[in-house]
Amino acid sequence: MSMATENGAGNTRLQLDTATTAESRIGRIDPYGFERPEDFDYEFYEEFMSQYMTVLTRRAVRWSKLLKGNRRFERSLKVKRFVRKGIPNEHRSMVWMYLSGAQAHMEQNPGYYRRLLEGEKNAQLVETIHTDLHRTFPDNVLFRKTSNPCLQKNLFNVLVAYGHHNISVGYCQGMNFIVGYLLLITKDEEKSFWLLDALIGSILPDYYSPAMIGLKTDQEVLGQLVKIKIPAVAELMEKHGVMWTLVVSRWFICLFIDVLPVETVLRIWDCMFCEGSKIVFRVALTLIKHYQDEILKARNFPDICDKFKKITKGPLVTDCHIFIKVGL
């Protein structure tokens, strides 16, 4: 074996050892119960988190000062600025509840959620929801039947209650993932129910109605915005006859769940509960604009679809703090 070959083998072992060490330190399961994907970049994530933890600690101190003796607060420029810089996880549930109006609705309707669960049920709605339970986050250990406690029961309760609360919507695929995230943050069925009501009833109207008019309209609006702000990408889409719904529908209907990393999704939701649906457009435009050179390399219809899958991976979206700064 030549010296060059020996050095090459040594470098490979060193890289493997470094990666293995990073993986063992970080762990295969993230703090929210999700299994990390096979291609997860442990080294980059460890480097990012070493810096981000400093940011989180600093933000936690400032949020604690803001909320001290002020458990009820409203939107303001100061709160908006704080939200954009990130809500610490220990305050996230409460801040979402107040900013979205969900807290007020819950307080105005004491016992309402429990009455929905105890009332008469629509058998078809219940069966539809039950069928979708096992499809919800199979990569999350907290949603498996073997988990104790298992969040499938809480997920089922919230979806059934909401389906009877908002009969015109009932249940639509995509809602299960949103409620799943809400449960992971609030750890409370009733709060998750009222946050879902704020999303569907106010922040994203007609996204989950049978005709999905709001969802379709917003995807068309995104197409028009891309024409104005990133015309080369719009021209590419038109040239190959690619409809926006084919490449961004999951971005909108699942609010970037299973599209972007968990912490990045939560940072997006922080802003969405504070500022509304415009955040969804800004995130979508940020992804397309930042990766437009890569998208423009596409030569055909399947190629374009593949490029849109790839732009949701990598360092930019993993570093949620930088991503929010760039995007908003």
Side-chain angles (χ1 to χ4, degrees):
M1 181 183 291
S2 70
M3 184 66 72
T5 304
E6 288 178 359
N7 286 341
N11 288 338
T12 302
R13 282 196 299 272
L14 180 61
Q15 289 171 354
L16 288 172
D17 289 344
T18 304
T20 302
T21 304
E23 180 178 337
S24 64
R25 283 195 295 267
I26 294 168
R28 291 297 307 276
I29 308 295
D30 76 12
Y32 304 97
F34 290 98
E35 293 178 333
R36 303 190 195 278
E38 289 297 323
D39 60 350
F40 187 77
D41 190 338
Y42 288 92
E43 290 178 79
F44 175 81
Y45 185 77
E46 185 174 45
E47 183 182 345
F48 154 65
M49 283 304 296
S50 67
Q51 299 171 21
Y52 189 48
M53 286 304 295
T54 304
V55 174
L56 289 176
T57 302
R58 186 167 63 245
R59 298 314 305 165
V61 170
R62 292 182 179 178
W63 271 98
S64 294
K65 288 180 180 178
L66 176 70
L67 297 173
K68 189 176 181 180
N70 182 28
R71 305 303 288 182
R72 293 176 179 272
F73 62 95
E74 298 177 354
R75 290 187 183 92
S76 67
L77 288 175
K78 183 178 182 179
V79 168
K80 176 181 171 181
R81 189 172 70 251
F82 267 55
V83 168
R84 285 202 175 184
K85 291 181 179 180
I87 304 171
N89 226 21
E90 61 264 35
H91 299 309
R92 191 165 256 147
S93 174
M94 186 196 76
V95 174
W96 284 4
M97 288 292 289
Y98 277 103
L99 290 179
S100 66
Q103 183 69 31
H105 286 142
M106 186 172 73
E107 291 175 0
Q108 290 160 11
N109 296 276
Y112 178 67
Y113 174 72
R114 186 53 50 189
R115 290 195 297 274
L116 285 170
L117 290 180
E118 293 170 353
E120 190 175 341
K121 306 293 190 302
N122 179 310
Q124 185 177 353
L125 174 70
V126 169
E127 180 59 30
T128 302
I129 292 170
H130 195 269
T131 302
D132 253 8
L133 288 181
H134 73 280
R135 300 172 186 160
T136 308
F137 300 136
D139 60 338
N140 190 304
V141 296
L142 300 176
F143 284 88
R144 291 175 186 164
K145 287 183 178 179
T146 54
S147 176
N148 185 22
C150 172
L151 291 181
Q152 278 195 15
K153 177 61 176 176
N154 308 99
L155 176 66
F156 177 77
N157 286 345
V158 176
L159 290 171
V160 167
Y162 192 79
H164 290 86
H165 163 70
N166 189 339
I167 297 171
S168 64
V169 169
Y171 172 72
C172 170
Q173 286 188 341
M175 288 167 58
N176 53 327
F177 294 105
I178 289 171
V179 172
Y181 259 50
L182 293 174
L183 285 168
L184 288 171
I185 297 304
T186 66
K187 299 175 175 59
D188 184 282
E189 286 183 22
E190 189 173 12
K191 288 178 180 178
S192 296
F193 169 84
W194 287 111
L195 282 168
L196 179 67
D197 189 52
L199 277 171
I200 293 177
S202 176
I203 298 171
L204 304 168
D206 290 325
Y207 263 44
Y208 304 95
S209 61
M212 293 184 164
I213 295 171
L215 180 69
K216 293 172 183 175
T217 299
D218 279 2
Q219 289 176 96
E220 289 175 7
V221 170
L222 176 64
Q224 293 302 314
L225 289 170
V226 173
K227 269 187 180 181
I228 296 167
K229 297 177 179 292
I230 322 163
V233 172
E235 289 170 13
L236 179 74
M237 299 285 283
E238 290 177 10
K239 177 183 176 182
H240 294 284
V242 182
M243 296 175 63
W244 281 102
T245 186
L246 289 173
V247 293
V248 302
S249 60
R250 190 166 182 81
W251 298 8
F252 281 78
I253 200 166
C254 290
L255 303 176
F256 300 102
I257 293 172
D258 278 354
V259 174
L260 299 177
V262 180
E263 194 61 44
T264 305
V265 174
L266 294 175
R267 289 289 300 271
I268 292 166
W269 284 26
D270 289 346
C271 300
M272 183 179 63
F273 278 119
C274 181
E275 300 179 56
S277 62
K278 68 180 182 183
I279 297 300
V280 180
F281 291 106
R282 289 182 180 178
V283 171
L285 287 169
T286 297
L287 286 169
I288 297 167
K289 187 172 184 178
H290 187 84
Y291 289 106
Q292 65 175 313
D293 290 344
E294 186 64 26
I295 295 169
L296 292 173
K297 292 177 184 177
R299 292 292 174 263
N300 51 48
F301 189 109
D303 212 9
I304 292 172
C305 295
D306 187 55
K307 295 294 184 187
F308 269 86
K309 287 180 183 177
K310 288 181 178 177
I311 68 174
T312 60
K313 314 292 181 186
L316 175 69
V317 297
T318 299
D319 191 335
C320 56
H321 200 57
I322 296 297
F323 183 78
I324 294 298
K325 278 185 178 181
V326 170
L328 306 184

